[in-house]
Amino acid sequence: QVQLVESGGGLVQAGGSLRLSCAASGSFYSMNDMGWYRQAPGNQRELVATITRGGSTNYADSVKGRFTISRDNAKKTVYLQMNSLEPEDTAVYYCNCRVLFTWYGGESTYWGQGTQVTVSS
């Protein structure tokens, strides 16, 4: 089965940086669209950033200029570099991946287990 394992979360002071990683494992042909989402207590899960198989990206307005999403298809990994972190960025961050099972089709979406990011003042 396909699994997404996240790492890189932790506690950081405002203005600091963290780099999140999400590695995919299992049997599949390729990764298509991938993304990062976050959910703070009492809030809805919200989109942070997405990246297509071809490398096109988009970001939530709240993180533009501070966060960068990237991917390494050879390593089956998506990253989120977070700079100039603010207390408002505190949340559980989840990675998401749309997997193509064969060259001719067959797709499914998977979620990581989540990693806590806490930004202190």
Side-chain angles (χ1 to χ4, degrees):
Q1 64 177 22
V2 178
Q3 295 186 88
L4 303 179
V5 179
E6 303 173 1
S7 62
L11 175 65
V12 65
Q13 293 187 176
S17 298
L18 286 174
R19 187 194 189 208
L20 305 184
S21 299
C22 176
S25 63
S27 181
F28 56 87
Y29 179 72
S30 68
M31 304 178 298
N32 289 335
D33 292 0
M34 306 181 75
W36 288 94
Y37 297 73
R38 67 187 182 187
Q39 187 168 18
N43 291 357
Q44 297 287 111
R45 185 173 297 186
E46 64 176 349
L47 176 82
V48 177
T50 61
I51 183 167
T52 68
R53 175 174 171 80
S56 297
T57 61
N58 76 290
Y59 299 88
D61 288 341
S62 60
V63 306
K64 286 181 179 178
R66 300 189 297 120
F67 291 10
T68 302
I69 188 172
S70 62
R71 62 190 291 164
D72 186 332
N73 291 331
K75 295 182 178 179
K76 301 178 181 179
T77 301
V78 61
Y79 305 94
L80 185 68
Q81 178 67 45
M82 304 184 293
N83 298 325
S84 302
L85 283 163
E86 304 169 353
E88 292 74 21
D89 297 316
T90 296
V92 177
Y93 284 70
Y94 299 89
C95 67
N96 173 275
C97 180
R98 184 73 173 174
V99 170
L100 179 67
F101 290 103
T102 68
W103 68 269
Y104 55 85
E107 296 185 20
S108 190
T109 301
Y110 294 88
W111 289 91
Q113 82 283 359
T115 184
Q116 177 70 48
V117 171
T118 302
V119 184
S120 63
S121 300

